[in-house]
Amino acid sequence: MAELTGSEIIARCLEKEGIKDLFYIMGGPMLLAEATCIKEGIRMIDVRHEQAAAFMCQAYSRLKQVPSACMAASGPGVTNLITGMANALVDCCPVVALGGSSPLSQFGRQVFQEIDQVELMRGCCKHVDRLVNLKRIPQQINFAFQKAMSGKPGPVYLDCPGDMLYQKIDENLVDWSFAGRPMLDSRPMGDPRQVDALIGALAEARNPLIVSGSGVIWSRAWAEMQAFVEAAGIPFYTTPQGRGVVPDDHPYSYLAMRSGAFRDADLIIVLGTRMNYIIGHASPPRFGPAAKIARIDIDPAEIGAAARYVDIPIVGDCKAVLGQLLAGIKGRVNPDSYSGWRKQLADGEVAKRSAAGANKLQEDGDIHPVRMLEAVRDFARRDAILCVDGQETLNFGRLTMSTFAPGHRLNSGPFGTMGVGLPFGVGAKVACPDKQVIVVHGDGSMGLNAMELDTAIRHKIPILVVISLNGGWTGDPKREKPGRDLGYTRYDKICEALGGYGEYITQVEDIAPALERAQRKVDEGMVALVNVRTDYRARFSGVAFSDYST
């Protein structure tokens, strides 16, 4: 029987795990594994920075709700992955990274690129492992995928020492029984007593509210959530990356009344999201001190460590628990009971949006970023995937641009990582080639992974990039922030030089026509970039997420 190297076993296992696309940068000792992945029919997309490979995986996984895979060479190749893996950990995303490492048999002798990569990765991954036996490689790879996706998803790192990669074994001696073992996909139901307690609380409440997050996406529970919202008549709000699980323009969505709804709600159902800074820890002063808190989460540790006391804790899968609630509210919860609450929010929404001066921007120079974002909003298709990155761009974008499909809004997430936008766009387009993908970038964040334009162009991954070019890292009306200024970089020229299409815009009336021209190029298979000069003075002044800001 034929002999196989560890590299060949890895490639065969990845194919059996369902990996169709893999993001990487070539290098030793992973070269044979990468070459064999190509032979196994896996599409190998070589990027320009390993960090970007992990980001692309994150977007890919969020859109398809499956684990994704990336590879890196040893030493600096693996350390470059760390920011991407940390972002995936905080975002609860099942990225599986395989990193080459110095030979296990020589570890401790200061060989080439030797560093303990397992320990480096331990703090930013859900699970780490190291290949130590060729017979067990299929088991270890399947375990990596199982652990990445089970319960609360998260990233997994698998260390691949060079001697394991090039050692050979008779293929009959390899334990293939685990290769391609299906994901367990368990859906634990909530404790019926706690579910009943929540239904009882709903029956007593006058101002209930749902605050949902990415757990609804990972559970694929968007249909159940919309059905529950409509059957119970409850207004809802989502975290920024949870947008679209129920369309933003649903009648029970009151986006302009977020702060008032949080303050006045008497029952808050925290559904598939953490009670972290994104929602003010669901605590006063942002939320009412007397409000009752119910929480639905698949991770009991999350509920047990909540920053605010949870009155009704329900450990379970969002899809399963929502099914229990839908069955249980029949005859017990009347949507008419909340009609006054919905009217209060609806009237407040109308008043805010029609108030004197509402949406009137002071413009006496460069374009206000909101004008650019409004143009993108009006241009984007309803099922467009929006990848948003930056500071003012991200903050203004939350208020300006809507999302109507689950998983179709990607941003830096709770870790707040800059530079995710363009890699997210590439990963999103690979995952969903038939969707319109628009990357909306600040110019500062664009600089972190700008060379991924080259990745998209070389691999014919047609995306549209729109940049808010305000000359630096953030709005700075007084020009007093150290290191803020970057100049007005002609990213459109960079895109052109790499083989894409670029336009530079300085007048607000030119944005929409430029977007149309750029999209036509994208539809022809090109990467297009519209570089819009915006006002450096424009500074977002909404709810702060921390005690300090950039």
Side-chain angles (χ1 to χ4, degrees):
M1 212 49 169
E3 287 190 321
L4 296 176
T5 63
S7 296
E8 291 167 321
I9 297 170
I10 287 171
R12 187 177 295 185
C13 289
L14 289 173
E15 189 277 331
K16 288 183 179 297
E17 296 299 335
I19 293 299
K20 301 185 184 304
D21 307 282
L22 192 149
F23 305 93
Y24 78 111
I25 291 183
M26 59 88 74
M30 300 299 291
L31 284 171
L32 179 58
E34 292 153 1
T36 313
C37 282
I38 294 172
K39 291 180 183 177
E40 291 289 342
I42 296 172
R43 182 186 184 186
M44 300 293 285
I45 300 169
D46 57 308
V47 305
R48 297 303 299 268
H49 195 290
E50 291 88 354
Q51 177 192 100
F55 291 152
M56 291 174 192
C57 279
Q58 190 174 340
Y60 189 99
S61 285
R62 287 189 67 91
L63 284 158
K64 296 178 80 72
Q65 294 90 49
V66 297
S68 54
C70 56
M71 276 185 186
S74 58
V78 168
T79 61
N80 282 348
L81 281 173
I82 286 177
T83 298
M85 298 300 279
N87 198 70
L89 178 71
V90 179
D91 196 39
C92 305
C93 199
V95 176
V96 177
L98 294 88
S101 62
S102 53
L104 190 61
S105 58
Q106 299 184 51
F107 199 81
R109 298 185 62 195
Q110 300 182 19
V111 295
F112 180 62
Q113 294 187 331
E114 179 186 322
I115 193 168
D116 194 340
Q117 297 169 181
V118 167
E119 285 304 312
L120 286 172
M121 282 289 186
R122 200 177 298 281
C124 58
C125 290
K126 180 181 179 183
H127 175 74
V128 297
D129 199 2
R130 175 181 279 150
L131 300 184
V132 294
N133 187 326
L134 267 61
K135 295 178 182 180
R136 292 188 57 232
I137 288 177
Q139 182 187 57
Q140 287 183 279
I141 288 180
N142 184 263
F143 281 8
F145 281 84
Q146 297 285 351
K147 288 178 182 292
M149 200 63 189
S150 63
K152 182 174 69 176
V156 172
Y157 173 69
L158 190 58
D159 201 53
C160 304
D163 44 6
M164 293 292 104
L165 292 170
Y166 286 89
Q167 198 177 113
K168 292 185 177 181
I169 188 174
D170 188 313
E171 66 177 313
N172 279 339
L173 298 178
V174 178
D175 181 1
W176 296 102
S177 63
F178 287 89
R181 181 175 59 138
M183 296 291 107
L184 296 180
D185 194 30
S186 61
R187 295 192 177 277
M189 300 180 75
D191 184 330
R193 296 168 299 178
Q194 297 297 86
V195 173
D196 190 67
L198 175 51
I199 294 169
L202 279 168
E204 295 175 0
R206 289 294 173 263
N207 297 357
L209 194 68
I210 295 172
V211 180
S212 74
S214 295
V216 177
I217 293 172
W218 293 116
S219 181
R220 298 176 182 249
W222 43 83
E224 288 78 7
M225 178 174 164
Q226 182 163 344
F228 179 62
V229 163
E230 293 171 351
I234 305 176
F236 70 93
Y237 292 88
T238 72
T239 58
Q241 284 210 109
R243 300 270 291 266
V245 287
V246 179
D248 279 350
D249 60 354
H250 189 278
Y252 296 166
S253 172
Y254 309 97
L255 294 175
M257 288 297 291
R258 189 182 190 94
S259 294
F262 286 2
R263 183 187 63 244
D264 296 339
D266 60 2
L267 172 63
I268 300 152
I269 303 172
V270 181
L271 175 63
T273 193
R274 286 165 292 182
M275 289 164 60
N276 59 10
Y277 76 94
I278 296 288
I279 62 168
H281 305 285
S283 297
R286 199 166 185 202
F287 289 78
K292 184 172 287 189
I293 304 290
R295 187 171 181 191
I296 302 166
D297 201 288
I298 199 166
D299 184 4
E302 280 286 348
I303 296 178
R308 178 174 178 174
Y309 179 77
V310 176
D311 300 277
I312 307 172
I314 302 176
V315 178
D317 170 74
C318 287
K319 192 180 188 80
V321 175
L322 285 168
Q324 291 175 278
L325 289 169
L326 277 165
I329 63 174
K330 293 176 181 176
R332 295 182 62 187
V333 174
N334 185 351
D336 292 341
S337 300
Y338 315 134
S339 59
W341 170 230
R342 295 195 301 271
K343 185 176 187 304
Q344 174 186 329
L345 296 177
D347 290 348
E349 179 99 359
V350 171
K352 276 196 169 187
R353 295 190 183 278
S354 61
N359 300 321
K360 303 296 189 295
L361 305 172
Q362 296 297 321
E363 290 182 298
D364 56 2
D366 288 331
I367 300 165
H368 195 287
V370 168
R371 296 294 189 211
M372 183 198 83
L373 295 165
E374 287 174 340
V376 173
R377 175 199 66 197
D378 296 341
F379 162 78
R381 296 165 190 164
R382 186 171 177 84
D383 65 347
I385 300 169
L386 294 177
C387 306
V388 191
D389 188 11
Q391 180 158 327
E392 312 310 334
T393 308
L394 184 65
N395 287 325
F396 284 128
R398 284 201 311 273
L399 301 182
T400 305
M401 298 185 296
S402 297
T403 298
F404 308 104
H408 283 217
R409 186 64 161 263
L410 303 172
N411 61 41
S412 53
F415 201 42
T417 308
M418 291 280 188
V420 299
L422 185 52
F424 274 7
V426 174
K429 190 66 175 179
V430 173
C432 302
D434 297 330
K435 299 295 183 184
Q436 180 189 44
V437 175
I438 304 176
V439 177
V440 187
H441 243 304
D443 54 345
S445 62
M446 176 68 181
L448 287 163
N449 282 303
M451 281 304 292
E452 300 311 324
L453 285 169
D454 171 67
T455 302
I457 290 165
R458 281 186 295 110
H459 288 278
K460 298 179 173 53
I461 303 168
I463 57 176
L464 172 60
V465 182
V466 185
I467 295 178
S468 175
L469 184 68
N470 71 349
W473 284 104
T474 184
D476 188 14
K478 297 181 180 179
R479 287 216 181 263
E480 61 186 10
K481 296 181 178 178
R484 182 267 168 198
D485 292 336
L486 295 172
Y488 291 87
T489 304
R490 292 295 300 272
Y491 287 110
D492 52 302
K493 295 292 186 184
I494 294 173
C495 188
E496 288 178 353
L498 292 169
Y501 175 83
E503 288 204 33
Y504 180 60
I505 302 299
T506 59
Q507 301 297 319
V508 68
E509 63 270 18
D510 295 332
I511 300 174
L515 293 175
E516 294 287 351
R517 290 189 295 270
Q519 185 62 49
R520 284 197 291 272
K521 293 296 183 181
V522 170
D523 293 341
E524 293 169 8
M526 293 183 72
V527 174
L529 187 150
V530 178
N531 202 11
V532 182
R533 180 158 174 150
T534 55
D535 193 341
Y536 73 91
R537 298 167 298 180
R539 175 75 175 167
F540 180 76
S541 58
V543 174
F545 281 150
S546 66
D547 295 333
Y548 52 85
S549 64
T550 300

